[in-house]
Amino acid sequence: MVVLDPGHNGRNGAEPGAIRRQVSDGRGGMKACNTTGTATDAGYPEHAFNFDVATRVQQRLTAAGVQVVLTRPDDDGVGPCVDERGRAGEEADAAAVVSIHADGAAPGAAGFHVAYSAPPLNPAQAGPAQELARVLRDALRDGGFPDSDYIGDDALSPRADLAGLNHATRPTVLVECANMRNADEAALVSSPEGRDRYAAAITDGVLGFLGRKG
Ligand SMILES: [Zn+2]
């Protein structure tokens, strides 16, 4: 079983009260339930990108015989909150959890990166999540995507502030596929062909991780 977590949701922007509700950040603090995410300069929203890529990964994994659960059923709702997303892997007893996002950085910045919880809060976050991050990073590189030139080292980013990762008790990572504010990457994420390339690479990474665990 694999959990795919498409970041944000289509109606988050319309329900600011709901998404500003404070929830546990998984490290003793609180943070907002969820956020709206970013968008390209032309207005293609991150939540739509995330959901489309997740759906494509789901189709590919299902075809490969892997069961998949999504943390949200469509792109027309609100939430779920980050703490609930973070617990989804345990609820599904998932072998891997991938949260799918795209970033909104300075226009000159580019590339993908994979975030994992650090310092780790449990055994799954210590070894397996970091292995999943490396395998997924390698698959995205193999898919022709460049390492981030603005965050992390070698496209890997240890993070203490991402509640969805902090709450995880199964191997969980968050992929920032591209910088939506970069013109070249905006064109890529806005095209179905580009999204299919991301989905193919993420699928390869997940299957590689499951195989290594095999
Ligand atoms: Zn995001």
Side-chain angles (χ1 to χ4, degrees), residues 141-160:
R141 284 176 170 175
D142 289 346
F145 299 105
D147 288 12
S148 170
D149 61 11
Y150 65 97
I151 189 170
D153 281 314
D154 294 326
L156 298 176
S157 178
R159 294 279 292 266

Side-chain angles (χ1 to χ4, degrees), residues 63-83:
V66 177
Q67 287 186 286
V68 174
V69 174
L70 297 186
T71 56
R72 56 182 171 99
D74 54 45
D75 195 39
D76 306 315
V78 179
C81 295
V82 282
D83 57 336

Side-chain angles (χ1 to χ4, degrees), residues 8 37 46 50 101-102 176:
H8 317 285
E46 184 200 342
N50 299 338
H101 287 251
E176 293 279 10

